[in-house]
Amino acid sequence: MHCSEDSRVKAVVADSPFMGMWEITGKLLAENFLPQWPFQDLINYSFQNTFQVDMKNVSAAKMVKNLSPVPILLITGTADTTVPTWHVERIFEAAGENKEIYRNPGKEHEDNGSAVIFDNVIHPFLEKHLGPPFDLAAEFRMRQMENQ
């Protein structure tokens, strides 16, 4: 969410954003049957040496507060087990004005990148906040077809 500090950002679309680095690494370690200690601290140590940032201080909920009045669209699959929906819900609650959320019914983490969602959710959001002409939909569909 570096965009909260960049005045060139005019709108944000976030697909399955997670609350924070510390929370998501703890979840992923547990899912892989690894103890949080010492692994989470080792990962954090590596993160600090590489990026000069403590994972405990990386919080989307804190950063999104500074984003307002830039419009933000949050997308989540209601069956997402990789980044559970509660992450997105808490980020939405923390966001200021100009916030929208799309809950993709019954969909998992990897199911949010379809052309249907782009055409019916993302494109209208961007057109509403950035204004026409905003015709990336055709380009997106062409890329989707090329990748199939």
Side-chain angles (χ1 to χ4, degrees), residues 11-105:
V12 173
V13 176
D15 181 6
S16 304
F18 50 85
M19 278 291 297
M21 292 293 295
W22 193 254
E23 293 88 348
I24 204 71
T25 55
K27 175 190 176 300
L28 294 173
L29 287 168
E31 286 176 356
N32 289 288
F33 307 104
L34 294 168
Q36 285 184 316
W37 189 89
F39 293 105
Q40 195 168 25
D41 288 318
L42 290 171
I43 293 167
N44 191 30
Y45 177 78
S46 175
F47 196 82
Q48 286 175 327
N49 285 331
T50 304
F51 303 107
Q52 291 74 48
V53 174
D54 187 332
M55 288 186 344
K56 294 174 187 173
N57 296 328
V58 178
S59 168
K62 289 178 186 172
M63 292 178 190
V64 77
K65 290 177 185 177
N66 298 327
L67 188 60
S68 185
V70 173
I72 184 169
L73 169 63
L74 302 171
I75 300 171
T76 184
T78 61
D80 192 337
T81 56
T82 305
V83 178
T85 303
W86 69 264
H87 284 259
V88 182
E89 297 288 348
R90 288 200 183 146
I91 294 168
F92 182 76
E93 289 169 12
E97 56 191 64
N98 286 331
K99 61 184 179 180
E100 296 180 29
I101 189 168
Y102 176 73
R103 297 168 186 88
N104 199 358

Side-chain angles (χ1 to χ4, degrees), residues 82-130:
T82 305
V83 178
T85 303
W86 69 264
H87 284 259
V88 182
E89 297 288 348
R90 288 200 183 146
I91 294 168
F92 182 76
E93 289 169 12
E97 56 191 64
N98 286 331
K99 61 184 179 180
E100 296 180 29
I101 189 168
Y102 176 73
R103 297 168 186 88
N104 199 358
K107 298 298 181 179
E108 242 297 347
H109 187 73
E110 63 277 352
D111 297 333
N112 291 329
S114 73
V116 172
I117 289 177
F118 185 84
D119 286 347
N120 297 323
V121 180
I122 298 171
H123 184 266
F125 171 81
L126 292 174
E127 192 169 67
K128 172 179 162 185
H129 294 287
L130 302 179

